Amino acid sequence: GEDVEQSLFLSVREGDSSVINCTYTDSSSTYLYWYKQEPGAGLQLLTYIFSNMDMKQDQRLTVLLNKKDKHLSLRIADTQTGDSAIYFCAEMTARQLTFGSGTQLTVLP
Amino acid sequence: SAVISQKPSRDICQRGTSLTIQCQVDSQVTMMFWYRQQPGQSLTLIATANQGSEATYESGFVIDKFPISRPNLTFSTLTVSNMSPEDSSIYLCSSTMNTEAFFGQGTRLTVV
């Protein structure tokens, strides 16, 4: 079955880079996503990567995918206080979208 | 991409009552998904709704508790029946189009 895991918490200093990691188990995943959820708000799609890619860059965001190890990461460059939120990775298989538990990112001044 | 309008955005309900959540998509979509996000938790899929057929429920969720309607390709409802405080959660509808999964704004339900 599908299982997606993330560490629960990450703290970084403002201006540093943040790296949020995610592992998944289903090798049939087609797309992998990163969503951001701010307090009291819905889910905002940040970026996604197709499963046959190994890297995607979008402004301050870099996604790395190691398909052999089933490991996905999201790097946020020059992290700002506005980046404080919960970040969810999710994998899309033929059947459904499965979410990780979310990583609470706290950006310290 | 598409836009999903979900309502109500929040509600406070008495235990034992039922609440129906509606989602309207601005495009025709094949599948719609209903998720629950309990406080401090990730999203858990409740069921998948296809137009013209009965919804498919995930383990731990049953039709009597969470009846779903899907009368056409742009609309779906989820009812939370006979509510208890344990049903207090955010409920989200979702669909997919091409590479993207998009979500309604969520319904924050508090059962007292």
Side-chain angles (χ1 to χ4, degrees):
Chain A
E2 303 99 347
D3 192 19
V4 182
E5 295 188 355
Q6 302 176 238
S7 53
L8 292 180
F9 302 101
L10 176 66
S11 293
V12 299
R13 292 276 176 200
E14 192 173 9
D16 288 350
S17 293
S18 309
V19 179
I20 304 171
N21 294 302
C22 174
T23 58
Y24 60 97
T25 57
D26 194 329
S27 57
S28 69
S29 58
T30 54
Y31 291 93
L32 295 124
Y33 301 84
W34 285 103
Y35 287 89
K36 177 182 180 184
Q37 187 177 40
E38 295 182 81
L43 289 166
Q44 173 195 353
L45 177 66
L46 287 178
T47 187
Y48 65 91
I49 188 168
F50 188 44
S51 59
N52 71 351
M53 298 169 63
D54 52 21
M55 188 182 93
K56 180 178 180 181
Q57 186 150 4
D58 184 0
Q59 299 181 347
R60 292 192 296 126
L61 305 178
T62 303
V63 179
L64 295 178
L65 175 61
N66 182 327
K67 196 170 182 182
K68 174 176 169 289
D69 294 339
K70 299 188 183 69
H71 181 266
L72 181 73
S73 68
L74 174 69
R75 179 176 180 271
I76 305 173
D78 186 25
T79 314
Q80 303 297 307
T81 54
D83 295 323
S84 292
I86 300 175
Y87 290 80
F88 292 95
C89 63
E91 64 166 346
M92 173 81 81
T93 63
R95 190 167 169 268
Q96 66 183 57
L97 191 63
T98 302
F99 288 85
S101 55
T103 299
Q104 171 77 59
L105 173 65
T106 301
V107 182
L108 305 171
Chain B
S1 63
V3 174
I4 301 181
S5 299
Q6 182 174 344
K7 60 181 182 181
S9 59
R10 58 179 64 231
D11 207 342
I12 301 173
C13 299
Q14 296 289 326
R15 66 179 70 199
T17 63
S18 298
L19 175 72
T20 296
I21 302 166
Q22 299 180 5
C23 280
Q24 178 76 51
V25 191
D26 68 351
S27 308
Q28 292 186 335
V29 292
T30 306
M31 292 194 290
M32 290 186 73
F33 306 91
W34 287 96
Y35 290 87
R36 180 174 73 182
Q37 186 179 22
Q38 293 179 298
Q41 304 290 317
S42 185
L43 285 81
T44 302
L45 182 65
I46 298 171
T48 303
N50 292 325
Q51 190 263 338
S53 63
E54 218 169 77
T56 303
Y57 288 82
E58 297 299 307
S59 174
F61 298 98
V62 295
I63 188 170
D64 289 346
K65 176 67 176 177
F66 297 102
I68 287 171
S69 77
R70 185 81 204 277
N72 57 53
L73 291 174
T74 63
F75 188 77
S76 181
T77 68
L78 169 78
T79 298
V80 187
S81 302
N82 188 24
M83 288 184 282
S84 66
E86 292 71 32
D87 294 320
S88 297
S89 288
I90 297 173
Y91 293 84
L92 295 110
C93 59
S94 170
S95 189
T96 57
M97 184 175 285
N98 299 321
T99 60
E100 185 174 340
F102 47 95
F103 293 84
Q105 301 93 325
T107 297
R108 184 179 292 273
L109 171 62
T110 303
V111 183
V112 296

